[in-house]
């Protein structure tokens, strides 16, 4: 039997049997439920009490905006959950000595790491599929017609998945650097605070800086996305580029909410890069973090 | 099967845990590696298990040179530590099946090994519900999964209650005769006395002595109480090591082989000795330990 398959089977079995696993699934389901209910309620109120006569396209646009809000509510909390879960993967086995035991008996280090990463990637996938399903279910249970087709729904899940994969790989990196699980979880929570705090402060701070600079010369004019992109401070841009939450802007592209006058007032509608670049950044970020974790793990116990 | 020559291990270039240990273990033997805490037993066992390299000296384990090819070594030895190293959230059978698949061994072996360590009735229970003794027995089964020639056990009896000790001892005894060579590191003198064919004593990183248990049992302390201990009568006991002698000279304890006792007694009587009592004081591993480790330290 393939060694990787054997290791993955074991890792999955261990994950499922951990006491925290049902809590994690329950948390994801509850979070998805609350966010879906909120999005569906928002949509229902909009439909029932419309500000104007609504066309199908208007309803679809509103549903897409609700989906965007839905993901923005779900993503930060799932980032925290996944960081914590993935930070436990290696650190728990380090703490109870099993990792050293298995490594001592000539088992392939690379496969051990890949197995852990794949299991965490599977959790990331579940963490994205449950909310996607919850959103559709939320709209449906409110008696509304689901106007977003399955393809678009899945495409919208792609960027949250890239975020989840990136933070999972970050969690594994933390795990491969930590000897104790409590240390790993504490670092994971700190990483979460840094990620969310840095994202908000860099994006909002950068927009304020860009806006101030723009309005020095263009009084009484709206700053366009192109202007904001040009005037956005480089240091804050770099901070965003290194932040997995930046991939949220990919959602705007997928849901086609970036262009048009309607969205210019929203910071959320602002995107630095196009869809392909956002996807590339996500893939590069997840791969780099995976490689860093791998290198760190390959050095484990050899000193 | 195991040959250790002048093994030295120094930690951080300062603390010398093992100071030139040498000994040999014959194939099929259960070999006791005895010593107090901090004597260097675990360090030696870890070196012989390929978990760390010695600072100097060499060892050959099942034909594999140490330091050398660790993977080859790990194919030939099974290791059981004081900490069982088990996935506690798995069942005993699941754990063995995982290691069985990992070592690419036939899965039917799992049932055989569970039977060998008498864990079949508990095979489908979670390991976290096992007693420490049961965990140790399961760890033995796991250590034997890949068909090793040598089983290395480091302090397997530590922390076990008497029932668990008996069960574990029985499991180890069942392995005797299977051709497996067992290196048992322990400070449990009673169990070593019960199980081992040979023992080596280690103290402060050095081997103090090596004597087989059979050899230990062959010789014994014999206490003669002689009412007329004249020099000519006592000359019958010349050549034997005197262990103890009473102040009045009537009682003398000498070390001799069991089958010599009858002949020496006859000689004493022939020489006119009035022998009131002969007491055979069997020497155990505990006595050896007392002589080699404790006496030396006093």
């Amino acid at each position: 039997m393939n060694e990787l398959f054997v290791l993955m089977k074991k890792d999955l079995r261990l994950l499922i049997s951990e006491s925290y696993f049902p809590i994690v699934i329950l948390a994801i389901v509850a979070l998805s439920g609350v966010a879906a209910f909120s999005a569906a309620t928002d949509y229902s109120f909009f439909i029932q009490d419309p500000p104007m006569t609504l066309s199908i396209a208007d309803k679809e646009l509103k549903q897409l905006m609700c989906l965007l809000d839905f993901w923005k509510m779900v993503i930060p909390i799932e980032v925290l959950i996944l960081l914590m879960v993935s930070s436990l993967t290696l650190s728990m086995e380090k703490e109870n000595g099993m990792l050293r035991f298995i490594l001592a008996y000539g088992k392939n280090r690379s496969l051990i790491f890949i197995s852990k990463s794949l299991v965490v990637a599977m959790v990331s996938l579940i963490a994205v599929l449950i909310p996607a399903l919850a959103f559709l279910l939320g709209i449906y249970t409110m008696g509304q017609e689901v106007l977003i087709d399955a393809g678009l729904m899945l495409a919208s899940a792609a960027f949250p998945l890239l975020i989840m994969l990136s933070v999972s790989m970050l969690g594994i990196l933390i795990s491969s650097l930590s000897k104790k699980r409590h240390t790993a979880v504490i670092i994971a929570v700190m990483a979460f605070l840094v990620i969310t705090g840095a994202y908000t402060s860099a994006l909002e701070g950068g927009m304020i800086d860009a806006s101030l600079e723009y309005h020095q010369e263009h009084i009484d004019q709206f700053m366009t996305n192109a202007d904001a992109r040009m005037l956005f401070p480089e240091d804050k841009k770099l901070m965003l580029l290194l932040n997995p939450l930046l991939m949220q802007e990919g959602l705007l592209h997928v849901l086609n909410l970036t262009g048009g006058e309607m969205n210019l007032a929203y910071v959320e509608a602002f995107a630095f890069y196009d869809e392909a670049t956002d996807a590339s950044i996500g893939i590069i970020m997840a791969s780099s973090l995976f490689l860093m974790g791998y290198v760190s793990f390959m050095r484990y116990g050899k000193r | 099967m195991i040959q250790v020559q002048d093994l030295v291990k120094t930690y951080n270039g300062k603390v010398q845990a093992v100071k030139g240990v040498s000994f040999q273990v014959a194939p099929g033997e259960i070999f006791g590696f005895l010593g107090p805490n901090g004597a260097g037993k675990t360090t030696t066992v870890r070196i012989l298990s390929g978990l760390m390299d010695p600072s100097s000296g060499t060892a050959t384990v099942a034909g594999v040179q140490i330091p050398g090819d660790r993977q080859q070594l790990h194919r030939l030895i099974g290791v059981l530590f004081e900490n069982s190293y088990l996935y506690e959230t798995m069942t005993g059978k699941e754990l063995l099946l995982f290691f069985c698949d990992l070592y690419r061994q036939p899965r039917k072996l799992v049932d055989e090994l569970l039977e060998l360590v008498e864990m079949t009735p508990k095979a489908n229970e979670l390991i976290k519900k096992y007693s420490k003794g049961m965990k140790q027995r399961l760890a033995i089964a796991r250590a034997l999964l890949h068909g090793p020639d040598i089983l290395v056990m480091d302090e397997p009896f530590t922390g076990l209650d008497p029932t668990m000790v008996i069960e574990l001892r029985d499991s180890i005894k069942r392995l005797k005769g299977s051709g497996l060579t067992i290196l048992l590191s322990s400070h449990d003198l009673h169990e070593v006395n019960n199980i081992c064919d040979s023992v080596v004593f280690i103290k402060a990183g050095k081997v103090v002595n090596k004597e087989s248990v059979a050899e230990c049992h062959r010789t014994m302390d014999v206490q003669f109480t002689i009412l007329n201990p004249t020099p000519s009568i006592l000359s019958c006991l010349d050549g034997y090591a005197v262990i103890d002698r009473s102040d009045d000279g009537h009682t003398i304890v000498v070390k001799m082989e069991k089958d010599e006792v009858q002949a020496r007694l006859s000689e004493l009587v022939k020489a006119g000795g009035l022998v009131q009592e002969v007491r055979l004081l069997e020497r155990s591993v505990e006595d050896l330990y007392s002589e080699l480790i404790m006496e030396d330290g006093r």
Side-chain angles (χ1 to χ4, degrees):
Chain A
M1 208 184 288
N2 184 295
E3 193 172 327
L4 179 63
F5 177 70
V6 172
L7 288 166
M8 275 187 72
K9 213 169 97 179
K10 179 264 295 178
D11 286 331
L12 257 178
R13 172 70 181 84
L14 287 179
L15 178 72
I16 291 166
S17 58
E18 285 301 339
S19 53
Y20 65 79
F21 188 71
I23 299 168
V24 164
I25 294 295
L26 204 69
I28 293 173
V29 170
L31 169 69
S32 306
V34 170
F37 178 76
S38 167
T41 313
D42 182 19
Y43 178 69
S44 288
F45 281 148
F46 182 75
I47 296 295
Q48 283 161 16
D49 187 18
M52 55 190 176
T53 312
L54 295 175
S55 65
I56 291 289
D58 291 330
K59 288 181 184 176
E60 190 185 347
L61 180 65
K62 180 62 187 173
Q63 221 167 72
L64 290 173
M65 289 172 80
C66 287
L67 180 58
L68 179 69
D69 290 341
F70 168 79
W71 278 122
K72 289 200 168 184
M73 190 190 282
V74 167
I75 287 170
I77 299 173
E78 285 207 340
V79 163
L80 175 64
I81 292 171
L82 278 168
L83 265 173
M84 288 168 74
V85 169
S86 52
S87 71
L88 285 171
T89 51
L90 290 164
S91 56
M92 271 180 92
E93 285 202 46
K94 274 186 195 174
E95 191 171 313
N96 63 26
M98 283 308 293
L99 193 57
R100 196 174 277 271
F101 181 85
I102 289 186
L103 287 174
Y105 291 94
K107 292 297 131 194
N108 191 320
R109 270 175 186 260
S110 305
L111 291 184
I112 290 172
F113 186 80
I114 291 168
S115 164
K116 294 274 182 204
S117 304
L118 286 175
V119 167
V120 167
M122 284 165 76
V123 178
S124 303
L125 185 65
I126 292 168
V128 171
L129 288 178
I130 291 177
L133 206 65
F135 178 82
L136 296 177
L137 216 62
I139 299 285
Y140 183 76
T141 49
M142 285 286 179
Q144 304 297 338
E145 191 185 352
V146 177
L147 299 169
I148 303 170
D149 66 60
L152 187 59
M153 192 67 215
L154 280 177
S156 83
F159 284 97
L161 179 62
L162 276 176
I163 297 173
M164 298 312 154
L165 284 174
S166 297
V167 296
S168 297
M169 294 306 126
L170 176 63
I172 289 200
L173 171 64
I174 292 168
S175 196
S176 69
L177 291 169
S178 314
K179 285 181 183 166
K180 303 269 180 195
R181 60 180 163 168
H182 290 121
T183 316
V185 171
I186 289 167
I187 297 172
V189 172
M190 284 165 65
F192 165 74
L193 294 174
V194 169
I195 287 170
T196 47
Y199 180 74
T200 312
S201 65
L203 185 61
E204 291 187 358
M207 286 302 275
I208 290 167
D209 290 351
S211 176
L212 286 173
E213 197 173 332
Y214 180 81
H215 288 110
Q216 278 177 359
E217 291 178 17
H218 308 86
I219 301 158
D220 296 336
Q221 285 186 44
F222 275 122
M223 181 175 70
T224 64
N225 280 355
D227 293 327
R229 267 194 293 273
M230 201 170 65
L231 296 172
F232 204 91
E234 288 300 321
D235 57 333
K236 293 193 170 70
K237 205 184 270 186
L238 182 67
M239 273 173 76
L240 288 173
L241 197 62
L242 295 172
N243 198 310
L245 293 178
L246 176 71
M247 280 168 270
Q248 285 183 111
E249 69 172 41
L251 272 168
L252 296 167
H253 295 297
V254 173
L255 303 176
N256 199 22
L257 295 173
T258 47
E261 291 297 314
M262 191 193 91
N263 292 311
L264 284 180
Y266 296 111
V267 167
E268 288 83 356
F270 172 78
F272 282 105
Y273 310 104
D274 60 21
E275 197 172 340
T277 312
D278 282 331
S280 306
I281 291 170
I283 291 165
I284 291 168
M285 191 178 289
S287 312
S288 308
L289 289 165
F290 171 83
L291 280 176
M292 284 160 76
Y294 178 80
V295 170
S296 157
F297 182 69
M298 294 307 273
R299 288 161 57 92
Y300 170 69
K302 286 188 173 174
R303 286 178 283 273
Chain B
M1 187 56 85
I2 300 175
Q3 284 189 316
V4 180
Q5 195 60 49
D6 300 324
L7 214 60
V8 174
K9 179 67 186 179
T10 309
Y11 290 107
N12 303 324
K14 290 175 190 169
V15 184
Q16 205 171 29
V18 178
K19 303 170 183 170
V21 166
S22 302
F23 62 87
Q24 289 186 353
V25 182
E29 193 176 26
I30 301 187
F31 187 88
F33 196 51
L34 275 170
N37 290 335
K41 299 190 300 291
T42 298
T43 301
T44 308
V45 165
R46 290 181 74 84
I47 292 170
L48 297 180
S49 309
L51 299 177
M52 61 168 71
D53 287 335
S55 304
S56 67
T58 57
T60 310
V61 178
V64 179
Q65 195 76 22
I66 292 174
D69 186 349
R70 285 188 181 190
Q71 291 213 10
Q72 172 67 6
L73 177 68
H74 293 147
R75 273 193 282 273
L76 296 168
I77 64 165
V79 182
L80 178 72
F81 295 104
E82 183 184 341
N83 178 341
S84 314
Y85 294 115
L86 305 167
Y87 290 116
E88 303 252 325
T89 52
M90 284 185 174
T91 66
K93 190 164 184 172
E94 276 176 332
L95 180 105
L96 291 187
L97 285 171
F98 161 63
F99 279 99
C100 196
D101 292 340
L102 204 61
Y103 294 137
R104 295 192 176 94
Q105 295 291 321
R107 290 187 136 212
K108 62 177 185 183
L109 199 62
V110 167
D111 291 328
E112 290 171 19
L113 286 170
L114 283 168
E115 198 63 44
L116 180 74
V117 294
E118 293 183 321
M119 286 294 290
T120 307
K122 301 280 183 184
N124 293 314
E125 284 185 22
L126 290 178
I127 295 170
K128 64 182 170 192
K129 291 182 181 169
Y130 287 1
S131 67
K132 192 172 180 198
M134 285 156 71
K135 286 178 185 172
Q136 287 293 56
R137 281 187 283 151
L138 186 68
I140 290 181
R142 190 217 22 224
L144 297 175
L145 258 176
H146 60 296
D149 295 334
I150 297 172
L151 179 61
V152 178
M153 295 194 268
D154 188 23
E155 301 286 2
F157 299 104
T158 304
L160 303 187
D161 68 30
T163 311
M164 296 174 193
V165 167
I166 292 167
E167 287 168 354
L168 181 61
R169 183 209 300 155
D170 291 347
S171 293
I172 297 171
K173 278 184 170 173
R174 269 196 296 278
L175 300 174
K176 203 170 181 173
S178 65
L180 192 71
T181 304
I182 299 175
L183 175 67
L184 173 67
S185 157
S186 179
H187 56 241
D188 191 322
L189 304 174
H190 182 68
E191 292 314 321
V192 168
N193 194 34
N194 269 322
I195 298 171
C196 295
D197 303 313
S198 298
V199 286
V200 69
F201 293 92
I202 183 169
K203 186 184 176 187
K206 289 179 180 169
V207 168
V208 188
N209 190 29
K210 181 186 181 266
E211 183 171 5
S212 74
V213 175
E215 198 178 318
C216 165
H217 286 162
R218 197 167 58 243
T219 61
M220 56 169 52
D221 294 344
V222 185
Q223 180 183 300
F224 294 95
T225 306
I226 305 164
L227 298 176
N228 52 342
T230 60
S232 63
I233 290 169
L234 289 179
S235 66
C236 298
L237 299 176
D238 283 353
Y240 293 105
V242 177
I243 305 297
D244 199 10
R245 190 192 290 265
S246 65
D247 293 339
D248 60 9
H250 291 302
T251 305
I252 181 166
V253 180
V254 293
K255 185 174 169 178
M256 62 173 62
E257 290 194 8
K258 271 182 190 173
D259 46 14
E260 288 178 316
V261 178
Q262 186 64 48
R264 293 294 82 77
L265 179 60
S266 300
E267 272 181 34
L268 283 169
V269 173
K270 270 186 193 168
L274 297 171
V275 182
Q276 187 187 38
E277 186 187 25
V278 179
R279 292 182 69 183
L280 307 178
L281 310 171
E282 290 239 25
R283 291 167 74 238
S284 64
V285 172
E286 279 99 325
D287 297 319
L288 271 176
Y289 187 87
S290 169
E291 283 171 31
L292 296 167
I293 306 286
M294 294 173 70
E295 295 285 338
D296 191 38
R298 279 174 196 158

